[in-house]
Amino acid sequence: MRHLIINADGYGFTAGTTRAIEECIAFGTVSSISVNVNFAHAASLAALVKRHPGLSVGCHVNPIVGPPLLGPEKVPTLVNEKGEFLYRAFARRFLSGLIRLEELRAEMTAQIEKTRELAGEAFSHVDFHMGLHRLPTLYRLFLDVAAACDVRRTRAHTYVVGMESRFPRLCHAAHLMKRPARVPKWLWNYCLKAWALSRGMALPDRRVEITGMASRPERITASHYSAMLKNLPDGFSEFVAHPGYVDASLKRWSKYLEPREQELRVLLSAEFRQALARSDVRLAGYRDIPVTARLRRVPQPLRREHGTANGAEREAWRES
């Protein structure tokens, strides 16, 4: 059977993204969301879940942008002189060992527990803002925190590009070969998926993408989304959506702007909703992914105060 999770990232991030995601949920084209709970607009989550009890809700762990959920004085290596997260400097400072892992663990844990408190039984999964948990060393901490918080599901970063094409596999291969540096990162994602599975996490089988969405918003069309439905393989596929209304706050915190409004138009289009209804694809949420394995906790103390990656790990990430 073919299942599609359309997961909207960024609920709570800004007023514009929050309103857009709520509209898509009400329209019936978004089945799952990930919440930036460190922003004030996330407070509306509890009311949203009451209106849509079948929704899947995850924590979009975010030590990257905005204010920390814990006070800045509790996570001094995670914030700048304004008391805000480091944004573009996060990866460099993490890889350089300038971020204390205990502070990062505490902020991640606080965000997950806050999301669970607001979402209640709808709480289903955990992922990470901008996917930066895939940095060397950080993914282990991410899995440790998920296990400690008893979160059973997470995102699979193994992806297939070109789902709008008549020949998705060829399109995906061409996408990788266009920039050979993409290949090691693609393989790295497979390693991370295997690692998560070995720890007892449940994941979608894959993430699916339409070619060039970030750089070519004109490719974000209802016809391409409908073609994606026809090309989905069996199992659970996740399509990560970022619908939003562009406002001043979004311009401050993100570079992904114009495509958000185009994504919103497609997700609110009658054409795409009808294509979903006519297809044999079941719109699913993270709560539908079976959880059978027991979580494997690794209660090992942190070996170092800071998050320095070793030389081999650092070079592997840079090459990807």
Side-chain angles (χ1 to χ4, degrees):
M1 188 171 181
R2 302 189 302 159
H3 303 265
L4 177 63
I5 300 171
I6 300 182
N7 189 94
D9 282 4
Y11 186 86
F13 191 34
T14 66
T17 58
T18 302
R19 178 162 63 95
I21 291 170
E22 289 189 355
E23 290 176 0
C24 294
I25 294 168
F27 193 69
T29 51
V30 163
S31 50
S32 181
I33 64 173
S34 295
V35 183
N36 288 87
V37 77
N38 64 309
F39 285 92
H41 295 288
S44 58
L45 176 61
L48 176 70
V49 170
K50 287 183 180 178
R51 297 196 302 271
H52 303 280
L55 188 67
S56 291
V57 177
C59 179
H60 201 51
V61 175
N62 174 30
I64 311 299
V65 297
L69 196 61
L70 301 176
E73 70 281 357
K74 295 183 179 180
V75 288
T77 67
L78 288 177
V79 298
N80 59 22
E81 63 281 357
K82 297 179 181 179
E84 297 172 344
F85 288 135
L86 300 167
Y87 195 11
R88 295 182 180 90
F90 174 85
R92 173 177 53 80
R93 289 177 65 85
F94 180 84
L95 290 171
S96 299
L98 299 176
I99 290 177
R100 291 174 61 92
L101 294 182
E102 283 295 355
E103 293 176 19
L104 189 53
R105 180 193 294 272
E107 177 66 22
M108 291 166 65
T109 300
Q111 292 187 16
I112 291 171
E113 294 305 333
K114 182 63 175 180
T115 307
R116 177 182 272 123
E117 175 189 333
L118 291 171
E121 294 183 0
F123 182 73
S124 58
H125 65 281
V126 63
D127 48 49
F128 206 96
H129 192 68
M130 297 171 63
L132 286 178
H133 62 314
R134 292 174 290 168
L135 287 167
T137 304
L138 182 49
Y139 199 72
R140 174 188 171 186
L141 178 61
F142 173 79
L143 293 178
D144 286 348
V145 170
C149 294
D150 197 30
V151 184
R152 308 303 304 274
R153 303 175 182 91
T154 190
R155 176 165 291 164
H157 291 282
T158 52
Y159 64 94
V160 179
V161 171
M163 294 300 294
E164 80 288 355
S165 167
R166 288 182 61 190
F167 305 103
R169 291 185 180 181
L170 289 177
C171 189
H172 179 74
H175 169 79
L176 294 179
M177 292 300 103
K178 186 176 181 179
R179 296 182 185 175
R182 289 171 173 160
V183 175
K185 194 166 189 175
W186 186 68
L187 295 173
W188 176 246
N189 287 336
Y190 265 93
C191 293
L192 297 182
K193 180 179 180 180
W195 193 355
L197 290 170
S198 75
R199 292 287 299 271
M201 298 291 283
L203 297 79
D205 296 293
R206 68 197 66 81
R207 195 176 81 237
V208 291
E209 298 183 9
I210 290 168
T211 311
M213 289 179 61
S215 58
R216 298 176 61 188
E218 71 276 6
R219 296 190 60 80
I220 304 173
T221 65
S223 61
H224 279 167
Y225 279 45
S226 299
M228 174 177 67
L229 297 176
K230 296 177 181 178
N231 290 326
L232 283 179
D234 288 338
F236 283 89
S237 300
E238 180 184 18
F239 180 74
V240 180
H242 296 86
Y245 293 101
V246 176
D247 51 26
S249 294
L250 190 60
K251 290 178 180 178
R252 179 185 181 192
W253 299 119
S254 178
K255 292 181 177 180
Y256 190 69
L257 300 172
E258 180 187 349
R260 291 181 188 263
E261 294 194 336
Q262 185 60 23
E263 285 194 54
L264 177 62
R265 282 189 282 270
V266 173
L267 290 170
L268 294 181
S269 70
E271 180 182 348
F272 178 58
R273 186 168 66 174
Q274 290 167 5
L276 266 173
R278 290 194 300 264
S279 75
D280 64 346
V281 173
R282 181 188 173 221
L283 189 63
Y286 265 89
R287 292 161 72 181
D288 296 307
I289 300 176
V291 174
T292 55
R294 296 182 62 184
L295 278 175
R296 178 169 165 255
R297 292 179 171 81
V298 184
Q300 298 177 350
L302 296 173
R303 296 182 183 177
R304 49 183 176 267
E305 210 170 62
H306 299 286
T308 310
N310 66 41
E313 287 177 324
R314 189 182 297 112
E315 290 306 312
W317 174 259
R318 287 175 177 168
E319 290 172 4
S320 67

